[in-house]
Amino acid sequence: MNKQIAITQRVQVVEQTGERRDALSQEWAVFAETCGFCPVILPNHLPAVERILSQTPLDGILLTGGNDLSAYGGDAPERDEVEEFLIAQSIQKKLPLLGVCRGMQMLLSFFGTPLQRISGHIRVDHPLDNGDIVNSYHGWGATTCPPPLYPRAWGLDGVLEAVGHQEYPWIHGIMWHPERYFPPRPRDVRWMKEVFAL
């Protein structure tokens, strides 16, 4: 049986009506299938997430991209609340967690690393210090990595691109979007299998 990995969604606001919708790119379903896990898609409503987690056995948590953090001008505080809860659940239950783009920004913020505006990282590919070349779709990032996080990869421009946690080795973050490659890159699939023991 495939492992069940909880996946967060972005908040989209319908301009004409102000309706707030949860949304997840269909690319994640394709990526999940390639990696061999079953996605459990979570709403941005904390009471519902608490009920889901109390009734659904999970093997990991995936924080996806989209939406700036509220502390940096974002308009989705309900998502911040859900993802902060999920990070705390990861710590408490030792659930593997991967933060992707905004998800890594949430990890940085949660563990005390400040974000800053960065340039040259929206809709581009760029090299990392480990020899990889990754996509980039973010305007916020970090150029330091104080404990308890540690760097797993840097961009050649000094922007932090991947992190791990010194005390909680099951927590990781990456700034690129593995789901946006068609077909999925073997390197990203290996990363997912490493993090979630797939």
Side-chain angles (χ1 to χ4, degrees):
M1 179 177 175
N2 288 348
K3 289 190 173 183
Q4 297 191 119
I5 308 297
I7 297 185
T8 62
Q9 303 183 77
R10 70 178 62 214
V11 175
Q12 292 184 330
V13 181
V14 179
E15 186 176 342
Q16 297 89 335
T17 64
E19 179 187 6
R20 302 179 71 80
R21 295 179 178 175
D22 292 336
L24 183 69
S25 168
Q26 294 177 359
E27 297 163 335
W28 276 113
V30 175
F31 190 65
E33 184 178 16
T34 301
C35 293
F37 68 87
C38 176
V40 177
I41 301 171
L42 299 180
N44 285 302
H45 181 67
L46 184 56
V49 169
E50 291 173 332
R51 287 196 300 276
I52 291 168
L53 265 62
S54 71
Q55 298 178 30
T56 306
L58 294 176
D59 301 293
I61 298 167
L62 183 56
L63 309 180
T64 65
N67 301 122
D68 290 337
L69 305 186
S70 295
Y72 296 91
D75 62 353
E78 68 271 43
R79 183 177 183 185
D80 294 349
E81 183 181 42
V82 164
E83 293 189 343
E84 287 171 358
F85 170 77
L86 291 171
I87 295 171
Q89 287 291 295
S90 168
I91 294 169
Q92 178 184 340
K93 298 180 178 180
K94 297 185 177 179
L95 280 173
L97 183 147
L98 177 64
V100 173
C101 195
R102 175 226 154 80
M104 178 169 141
Q105 294 171 6
M106 178 59 74
L107 288 175
L108 293 170
S109 179
F110 188 92
F111 292 110
T113 300
L115 303 180
Q116 62 191 65
R117 277 285 183 194
I118 56 172
S119 59
H121 280 253
I122 297 178
R123 295 184 181 87
V124 298
D125 292 337
H126 65 90
L128 306 184
D129 63 352
N130 63 10
D132 198 4
I133 297 175
V134 297
N135 61 34
S136 191
Y137 295 90
H138 54 272
W140 291 96
T143 55
T144 62
C145 189
L149 300 176
Y150 68 90
R152 293 192 63 172
W154 293 93
L156 299 187
D157 59 358
V159 175
L160 187 60
E161 291 287 335
V163 296
H165 195 287
Q166 294 174 349
E167 186 178 350
Y168 311 127
W170 56 89
I171 292 179
H172 302 273
I174 59 175
M175 287 304 296
W176 63 93
H177 285 257
E179 81 283 8
R180 293 185 178 177
Y181 289 103
F182 296 99
R185 302 189 312 163
R187 188 168 187 157
D188 291 326
V189 173
R190 287 195 302 270
W191 184 291
M192 294 291 290
K193 289 186 175 183
E194 173 190 335
V195 170
F196 295 112
L198 298 171

